[in-house]
Amino acid sequence: GIFIRYRDFAELGQVYSFHALRHCFGTFAHEATQDLRATQALMRHRSPKSTLIYAHITPKLKALAASKVPVIG
């Protein structure tokens, strides 16, 4: 397909696959929305279980969550 053609043209090697690109998209979508249902729809997953792989906590999401906790004192 076109992805493989451009990947090979750029001499990136086979470590870069369409699946890896799709996984990156899913991770970025979850980071942007923080909503697994929205990510599920964007990824066109039938089952929420398929989307749970993107539910890992990235440093960016951890910092965002910490910033929303009110300071007491």
Side-chain angles (χ1 to χ4, degrees):
I2 194 164
F3 176 80
I4 292 172
R5 229 179 315 152
Y6 280 102
R7 179 199 66 193
D8 293 346
F9 177 77
E11 299 178 356
L12 295 175
Q14 291 192 1
V15 71
Y16 295 96
S17 65
F18 185 77
H19 180 77
L21 179 67
R22 182 174 161 78
H23 184 75
C24 288
F25 174 80
T27 299
F28 292 141
H30 178 59
E31 279 187 353
T33 65
Q34 299 179 35
D35 181 349
L36 281 174
R37 301 274 308 175
T39 303
Q40 179 184 355
L42 289 168
M43 299 297 292
R44 298 179 56 98
H45 289 155
R46 287 187 181 142
S47 168
K49 289 181 182 181
S50 300
T51 312
L52 284 176
I53 193 169
Y54 305 105
H56 56 274
I57 303 300
T58 63
K60 182 179 178 180
L61 283 178
K62 191 175 180 181
L64 181 63
S67 73
K68 292 183 177 185
V69 176
V71 177
I72 299 173

